[in-house]
Amino acid sequence: FEGIAWIGTNNGFAKFDGNNWQQFNYTSPQFTYLWVTSLKVDDSNNLWIGSNNFGILKFNGTTFSEYISSDHNFLTNRISSIEIDNTGKLWFGQLLNSNIRGGVSIYNGSSFSNIYLGTINNKINSIYISGNNKWLCTTEGLSKYDVNNSSIFFSVSKICFGLTGFI
């Protein structure tokens, strides 16, 4: 996947190799349409795809694997962001869904663990990882999660209001 640009849309995603475009619009009984909210390529060249309301897809260049909250024990099927930490774990930011609380789910390659932040109405907009610190931009403020101490610094502030990404 080196040198490839991946672009998510509200109707699938596209790949651009510098010369040619290829569009993907995955559907299944679970994914009736694919509204892509986040894309991330891991060290094994798998493309991880977060969707607005149907969960997570993994694309290895040939086949898709579906990850649905009810089958894999992550919080909601509304993925807002994906990041990969320095140990290869995937961090998925999630929005609330009806009466289901959003938060962050961490995938270690075999199972998910979950973190809740703030109130029940809090939404994770974006995740930025720097070393052991995970910066979580939410609708209620900026949080920093330190893996070494399993601690969260939570700042109730509108600093992240409307922010959708970090650089």
Side-chain angles (χ1 to χ4, degrees), residues 95-148:
L95 305 173
L96 57 96
N97 188 17
S98 300
N99 295 328
I100 301 170
R101 187 175 182 177
V104 177
S105 294
I106 305 150
Y107 183 62
N108 65 11
S110 60
S111 63
F112 286 87
S113 58
N114 302 306
I115 300 170
Y116 296 105
L117 301 168
T119 70
I120 195 165
N121 295 316
N122 200 15
K123 302 171 191 167
I124 307 300
N125 293 329
S126 187
I127 301 172
Y128 174 72
I129 296 179
S130 175
N132 286 324
N133 294 314
K134 283 56 176 176
W135 294 93
L136 311 167
C137 186
T138 77
T139 53
E140 293 178 354
L142 181 64
S143 299
K144 182 177 88 171
Y145 181 75
D146 184 341
V147 179
N148 290 335

Side-chain angles (χ1 to χ4, degrees), residues 57-130:
L57 287 174
K58 180 174 79 171
F59 179 59
N60 67 9
T62 306
T63 59
F64 290 90
S65 301
E66 295 182 359
Y67 293 77
I68 302 160
S69 63
S70 60
D71 295 340
H72 293 280
N73 193 38
F74 55 90
L75 300 173
T76 78
N77 283 324
R78 297 193 64 210
I79 308 302
S80 59
S81 58
I82 305 170
E83 278 298 327
I84 301 173
D85 70 17
N86 55 1
T87 66
K89 292 179 183 169
L90 289 133
W91 290 64
F92 296 92
Q94 293 157 72
L95 305 173
L96 57 96
N97 188 17
S98 300
N99 295 328
I100 301 170
R101 187 175 182 177
V104 177
S105 294
I106 305 150
Y107 183 62
N108 65 11
S110 60
S111 63
F112 286 87
S113 58
N114 302 306
I115 300 170
Y116 296 105
L117 301 168
T119 70
I120 195 165
N121 295 316
N122 200 15
K123 302 171 191 167
I124 307 300
N125 293 329
S126 187
I127 301 172
Y128 174 72
I129 296 179
S130 175

